[in-house]
C-alpha cells in the first residue's frame, strides 16, 4: 500500500470536505464538551458493516490487537466473529467480553511465536486453541497439554507489507514456522500427541492479487505436507483500508474467490470439507474510529503554519512509526459554518519530541495538509483511527490515556474513562529512607 504523498499535495476533487459537524450523527463539539479531549470515538455501524462484508468466509476471526477495548470485542462477538489473541492479556479480554474458551470452530485462538509463562499456563488451563509459530511452542505445549488439536502458522519463505516493519514473511521475518521445517514439526507434534488440524498464513497481501495467488499456492503446498488431518485454513489478516480518497479499495470478491478456489482444490485432494477463515484487524475497525482533539495553539514558523493539538504520538503513533497517512477534518467549536478558507498547515502534538507530527511521511519528512482555517478551541478530528490507535498508545510524557466512546444506534457510550493522574502513578513507590 502506498503511504506517500508529495510535499504540499492538494486534495483532489473527490476528497471529502475537511469540515465536519458530527460523527455517527452526534455533534463533535457536544462529544468534546461532554467527554473532553483527546477522545477516541468509534462508530459501531461501520464495524458491523465491515463484518458483513466478509460473510462469504466461514469464519471471521477478529485480530483484536488492532483495538481490544472490551466493548469492541463484545460488539464483534454479538455479530458473529471469533477472536484472535496474541497474549495472555488478550485471552483474558476475550473471556471478559463473553467469548467461550472452547468450541467449534474455536471461539478464541492464540497466535504467537512464543509462549511466555503466563500465556502457556492460561491456554493449558482453559483449553484455548493454539496456533504455533515456532517449533518450541509445539514442545512446550505438548509437554503440558495432553491430546489436543493445534494449528501451525507457516512462513512460506516470502513476504509482503507496506513497510519493513509490517512485512510478515520471508527470511527476515521472525513470524511463523519456516515452510521447510513443517515435516519435522509434524513429527514433534505426533510424538507429543498433538494433532495438527489447522494451517495459517498471515503475510499481508494488500491489493495485489498476483501476490495473493502465490500465497494460496504456498498454502496448498503446506497442506500437502501435512495431509488429511487439516480441517481449516486461515488466510490471516492484512486486508488493506484505503486511507485517502481515490485510493483503490480491495476487490473482496476476487480476494475471496482466489482463496475459495484454493480451498476447493484442498478439499478435493483431502476428500473432506475444509473451513476457510479470515483474520482481519485493521479492516474491521480502522474506519470506525476518530480521534477528537482540540487545537490549543496556532503557530507560525517562518512560512509554515502549525496547528498544535492536545493529542500526540502517545495517542496515535502510526504517523511517527510508519509515516502513516490519516485523513483529518476540522469541527469548529461553534458548529460548522461551511465558509472557512483553506490553508496549508502542519499538524503536531504536545510532546517534547520533534517527531510528534501527524502530517509526516516515512523517514520523518514533515508535510503540510490542506485544512480549513481554524483557531484555538476548534476541534481537529483525525480519521481512520480505530485500528492500532489506542491499542498502541502510551503514557509517554506522563500523558494519561484518552477516553474511548462507542456510538451505537444513536447512543453514546463511554467505554473507557479517561485515565486519571492517580491511575498514572498507581503501582509506583518511593523507597523508604534510613
Ligand atoms: C496483526 C495480525 C493480524 C491482523 O492484521 P491486520 O493488518 O490488522 O489485518 C492478523 N493475524 C495475525 C496473526 C496478526 O499478527
Amino acid at each position: 500500500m502506498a503511504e506517500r504523498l508529495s510535499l504540499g499535495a492538494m486534495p483532489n476533487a473527490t476528497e471529502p470536505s475537511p469540515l465536519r459537524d458530527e460523527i455517527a450523527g452526534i455533534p463533535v463539539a457536544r462529544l468534546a464538551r461532554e467527554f473532553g479531549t483527546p477522545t477516541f470515538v468509534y462508530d459501531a455501524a461501520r464495524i458491523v458493516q465491515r463484518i458483513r462484508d466478509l460473510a462469504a468466509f466461514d469464519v471471521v476471526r477478529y485480530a483484536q490487537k488492532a483495538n481490544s477495548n472490551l466493548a469492541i470485542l463484545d460488539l464483534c462477538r454479538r455479530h458473529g466473529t471469533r477472536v484472535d489473541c496474541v497474549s495472555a492479556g488478550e485471552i483474558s479480554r476475550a473471556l471478559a467480553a463473553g467469548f467461550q474458551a472452547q468450541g467449534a470452530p474455536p471461539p478464541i485462538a492464540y497466535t504467537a511465536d512464543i509462549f511466555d509463562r503466563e500465556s502457556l499456563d492460561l491456554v493449558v488451563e482453559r483449553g484455548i486453541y493454539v496456533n504455533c509459530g515456532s517449533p518450541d511452542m509445539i514442545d512446550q505445549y505438548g509437554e503440558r497439554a495432553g491430546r489436543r488439536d493445534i494449528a501451525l502458522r507457516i512462513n512460506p519463505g516470502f513476504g509482503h507489507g507496506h513497510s519493513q516493519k509490517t512485512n510478515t514473511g520471508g527470511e527476515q521475518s521472525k513470524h511463523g514456522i519456516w515452510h521447510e521445517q513443517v515435516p519435522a514439526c509434524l513429527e514433534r507434534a505426533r510424538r507429543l500427541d498433538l494433532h495438527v488440524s489447522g494451517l495459517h498464513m498471515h503475510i499481508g497481501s494488500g491489493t495485489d492479487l498476483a501476490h495473493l495467488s502465490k500465497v494460496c499456492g504456498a498454502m496448498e503446498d503446506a497442506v500437502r505436507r501435512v495431509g488429511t488431518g487439516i480441517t481449516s485454513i486461515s488466510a490471516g489478516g492484512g486486508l488493506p483500508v484505503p486511507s485517502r480518497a481515490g485510493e483503490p479499495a480491495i476487490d473482496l470478491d476476487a480476494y475471496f474467490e482466489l482463496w475459495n478456489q484454493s480451498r476447493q482444490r484442498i478439499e478435493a485432494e483431502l476428500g473432506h470439507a475444509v473451513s476457510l477463515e479470515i483474520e482481519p484487524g485493521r479492516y474491521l475497525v480502522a474506519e470506525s474510529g476518530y480521534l477528537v482533539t482540540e487545537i490549543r495553539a496556532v503557530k507560525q514558523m517562518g512560512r509554515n503554519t502549525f496547528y498544535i493539538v492536545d493529542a500526540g504520538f502517545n495517542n496515535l503513533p502510526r504517523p511517527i512509526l510508519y509515516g502513516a497517512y490519516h485523513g483529518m477534518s476540522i469541527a469548529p467549536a461553534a458548529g460548522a459554518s461551511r465558509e472557512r478558507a483553506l490553508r496549508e498547515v502542519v499538524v503536531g502534538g504536545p510532546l517534547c519530541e520533534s517527531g510528534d507530527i501527524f502530517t509526516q511521511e516515512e523517514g520523518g519528512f514533515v508535510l503540510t495538509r490542506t485544512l480549513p482555517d481554524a483557531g484555538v478551541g476548534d476541534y481537529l478530528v483525525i480519521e481512520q483511527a480505530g485500528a492500532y490507535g489506542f491499542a498502541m498508545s502510551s503514557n509517554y510524557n506522563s500523558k494519561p490515556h484518552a477516553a474511548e466512546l462507542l456510538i451505537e444506534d444513536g447512543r453514546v457510550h463511554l467505554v473507557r474513562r479517561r485515565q486519571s493522574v492517580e491511575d498514572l502513578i498507581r503501582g509506583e513507590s518511593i523507597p523508604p529512607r534510613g
Side-chain angles (χ1 to χ4, degrees):
M1 189 164 60
E3 293 276 7
R4 304 197 159 270
L5 84 167
S6 55
L7 229 166
M10 294 296 290
N12 65 37
T14 59
E15 200 94 28
S17 159
L19 272 177
R20 144 186 313 279
D21 294 320
E22 44 81 30
I23 295 171
I26 313 290
V28 174
R30 195 191 115 194
L31 295 171
R33 281 190 201 111
E34 201 168 319
F35 298 97
T37 55
T39 291
F40 283 92
V41 182
Y42 308 118
D43 177 357
R46 280 293 188 99
I47 299 174
V48 172
Q49 185 53 52
R50 289 294 166 257
I51 295 171
R52 291 199 179 126
D53 291 350
L54 301 175
F57 291 85
D58 299 311
V59 174
V60 177
R61 186 175 294 285
Y62 173 46
Q64 68 162 291
K65 74 174 192 276
N67 185 330
S68 57
N69 185 289
L70 290 183
I72 303 279
L73 296 181
D74 170 69
L75 178 75
C76 289
R77 185 187 53 73
R78 282 187 280 123
H79 289 87
T81 80
R82 316 284 157 151
V83 67
D84 188 59
C85 306
V86 298
S87 67
E90 287 195 355
I91 295 172
S92 302
R93 283 180 174 281
L95 294 168
F99 286 93
Q100 299 296 311
Q102 300 177 35
I108 299 177
Y110 173 81
T111 299
D113 297 306
I114 64 155
F115 288 116
D116 52 35
R117 294 183 189 278
E118 295 72 25
S119 58
L120 183 56
D121 289 346
L122 192 53
V123 297
V124 169
E125 187 185 309
R126 303 301 301 264
I128 305 286
Y129 190 67
V130 166
N131 181 11
C132 298
S134 61
D136 297 289
M137 281 180 73
I138 301 173
D139 292 345
Q140 293 161 10
Y141 188 61
E143 277 155 22
R144 293 201 26 203
R147 198 179 161 64
R148 293 258 178 91
D149 282 359
I150 58 168
L152 301 183
R153 175 177 179 176
I154 311 292
N155 178 341
F158 58 88
H160 206 59
H162 62 75
S163 107
Q164 274 308 104
K165 292 174 195 153
T166 57
N167 193 347
T168 52
E171 284 186 31
Q172 286 176 348
S173 165
K174 66 175 178 140
H175 295 299
I177 290 171
W178 187 249
H179 58 114
E180 290 166 335
Q181 290 178 7
V182 169
C185 286
L186 282 175
E187 199 35 52
R188 277 172 194 248
R190 226 170 265 134
R191 272 204 307 270
L192 293 161
D193 217 13
L194 296 174
H195 171 239
V196 177
S197 64
L199 285 184
H200 173 279
M201 273 180 200
H202 166 72
I203 61 172
S205 56
T207 45
D208 179 351
L209 294 177
H211 172 77
L212 181 61
S213 49
K214 205 172 143 194
V215 179
C216 291
M219 177 64 88
E220 291 171 44
D221 288 343
V223 171
R224 268 178 217 116
R225 286 186 163 140
V226 179
T228 61
I230 295 298
T231 53
S232 92
I233 56 171
S234 172
L239 285 179
V241 172
S243 57
R244 59 194 103 183
E247 220 172 73
I250 184 165
D251 181 346
L252 271 182
D253 292 337
Y255 182 93
F256 173 76
E257 239 352 277
L258 275 173
W259 273 111
N260 191 37
Q261 285 164 14
S262 195
R263 179 255 296 273
Q264 286 168 349
R265 283 190 292 272
I266 290 169
E267 287 181 329
E269 283 185 33
L270 301 184
H272 60 73
V274 170
S275 144
L276 177 57
E277 291 202 4
I278 188 163
E279 199 176 69
R282 174 187 322 285
Y283 183 80
L284 295 191
V285 293
E287 296 162 298
S288 78
Y290 302 82
L291 176 56
V292 177
T293 75
E294 185 184 348
I295 298 176
R296 298 299 306 157
V298 178
K299 299 208 272 190
Q300 201 64 35
M301 301 291 205
R303 282 164 299 161
N304 280 330
T305 305
F306 283 71
Y307 288 172
I308 311 287
V309 300
D310 59 3
F313 73 72
N314 55 309
N315 302 108
L316 181 70
R318 297 186 70 247
I320 193 172
L321 284 178
Y322 315 116
Y325 179 96
H326 285 266
M328 291 178 193
S329 45
I330 295 291
S337 67
R338 298 288 152 206
E339 297 200 8
R340 297 217 173 187
L342 294 176
R343 61 197 299 193
E344 289 293 309
V345 297
V346 177
V347 179
L351 303 183
C352 292
E353 180 116 4
S354 54
D356 189 24
I357 296 290
F358 288 113
T359 49
Q360 63 178 294
E361 65 179 348
E362 211 171 344
F365 297 103
V366 172
L367 303 173
T368 62
R369 188 71 63 89
T370 310
L371 284 174
D373 203 16
V376 170
D378 286 330
Y379 305 108
L380 186 144
V381 179
I382 304 179
E383 299 169 359
Q384 297 110 20
Y388 306 106
F390 190 97
M392 291 183 111
S393 65
S394 74
N395 285 133
Y396 189 47
N397 279 204
S398 288
K399 293 282 191 183
H401 283 304
E404 291 178 289
L405 308 176
L406 179 71
I407 304 178
E408 190 172 10
D409 300 327
R411 294 178 54 195
V412 182
H413 305 275
L414 177 65
V415 296
R416 182 197 299 267
R417 65 172 170 75
R418 185 177 308 286
Q419 209 178 22
S420 65
V421 175
E422 294 73 51
D423 293 334
L424 203 58
I425 58 180
R426 178 164 301 133
E428 295 181 36
S429 57
I430 298 171
R433 300 230 153 213

